[in-house]
Amino acid sequence: MAGSAIPEVFSGKFGCGHEGEVSLANVPVAKRFSRVDWLSTKGKCRECFAKEGQKRLEKENKASAAWASEQGLPGLRGSAKQVGFGEQRRQGLIQDAYAALVAEGDWDDAAFVKGVLEPAQLVTGAHWWIEAGESEDASVLPELLEKSEPMRARAWEQRVNAAPIVGTSKQEDWGRRVRFEKVEAAREALDADVFAQRVEEPAARINSAHWWIDIASAPVEALVDLLESAGDDAYIENVEE
């Protein structure tokens, strides 16, 4: 009995001009001939397909970065892959939130700036945006931002009138996060009076980003001694008032 004329594998030259082979096992029998025709005229080998995908991703990442710049949003922290993905997620989330809260909701543009764009400027971790992007309801973005660590850090700084962290832009972001993390860890570990007098008050005054970065790995048990032994280099006067 003669073998079936229905192809099970495409083997030959793809539309990109390279030779290769691809299984047709998951293609419905009735569509296999048209798939073979498409692969031989417009299809791409695995290598060309991967390169095209990378170019498309780079183009999308550049577009997201340009959009973020237009909105006054800072670059994100993370690996190159995380940053690209995070910036796309951030753009999608904010645009969807605008549609849900302003275009279809009862917020105006001023409320959106206050409730979304301004706090979004503080959340610079790519991983945070990647995780937040998993939410199916973009209207909850203001609530997610309010509960984020950067927003809680700002609330603490305002409550205790903490001195602004001073350093390079990268150092300021890092130092600010370390200060808040150390303060919160001490809040949970120490007696309330000890915490208020020997941690929170001096921590609010120490504003050198470099100093906080240097103690990032120190255990909470050492924080009181570190704060008490902080030298003049821990305090930096702000040039701009």
Side-chain angles (χ1 to χ4, degrees):
M1 183 176 180
S4 173
I6 299 174
E8 296 182 356
V9 174
F10 169 82
S11 181
K13 185 177 290 187
F14 289 90
C16 62
H18 298 121
E19 298 281 345
E21 184 176 291
V22 61
S23 172
L24 301 174
N26 294 325
V27 180
V29 172
K31 296 183 178 180
R32 290 186 184 180
F33 289 100
S34 60
R35 179 61 63 86
V36 167
D37 181 61
W38 184 87
L39 289 170
S40 63
T41 56
K42 299 180 180 179
K44 292 179 173 59
C45 66
R46 288 185 176 86
E47 184 176 350
C48 287
F49 183 80
K51 287 181 179 179
E52 184 180 76
Q54 182 61 31
K55 288 181 180 179
R56 183 170 59 252
L57 179 60
E58 291 175 356
K59 183 177 180 180
E60 292 172 349
N61 288 346
K62 287 182 180 179
S64 293
W67 177 87
S69 179
E70 292 173 357
Q71 304 304 314
L73 297 172
L76 298 180
R77 294 177 289 100
S79 66
K81 184 176 181 180
Q82 287 177 328
V83 168
F85 193 18
E87 287 185 338
Q88 289 188 41
R89 279 287 181 88
R90 177 173 64 179
Q91 179 179 357
L93 258 180
I94 292 177
Q95 290 177 333
D96 288 348
Y98 185 87
L101 297 169
V102 181
E104 300 171 7
D106 55 5
W107 281 32
D108 58 19
D109 285 345
F112 188 78
V113 169
K114 184 74 173 178
V116 175
L117 288 182
E118 288 184 358
Q121 293 174 0
L122 300 176
V123 183
T124 57
H127 190 264
W128 189 92
W129 288 101
I130 292 171
E131 289 191 336
E134 296 176 358
S135 173
E136 296 181 358
D137 183 5
S139 66
V140 302
L141 182 57
E143 182 180 350
L144 294 177
L145 287 166
E146 185 176 359
K147 293 179 179 178
S148 69
E149 184 174 286
M151 285 295 289
R152 291 190 294 113
R154 185 170 74 169
W156 172 78
E157 290 168 355
Q158 292 175 339
R159 181 173 60 79
V160 300
N161 195 27
I165 294 292
V166 179
T168 65
S169 58
K170 183 177 181 180
Q171 287 175 335
E172 287 177 359
D173 180 57
W174 190 0
R176 194 164 180 254
R177 286 188 294 111
V178 172
R179 178 168 69 174
F180 181 68
E181 289 170 359
K182 294 299 182 186
V183 167
E184 289 304 290
R187 188 191 305 277
E188 296 180 2
L190 303 176
D191 175 80
D193 291 336
V194 173
F195 167 76
Q197 297 176 14
R198 303 182 67 185
V199 173
E200 190 167 49
E201 290 181 9
R205 296 194 303 271
I206 293 178
N207 66 337
S208 166
H210 195 274
W211 190 89
W212 286 106
I213 293 170
D214 282 345
I215 71 160
S217 300
V220 67
E221 295 81 9
L223 185 58
V224 170
D225 290 338
L226 288 169
L227 290 168
E228 290 180 347
S229 62
D232 292 341
D233 61 338
Y235 305 90
I236 299 177
E237 291 186 12
N238 286 299
V239 177
E240 298 182 2
E241 292 295 336

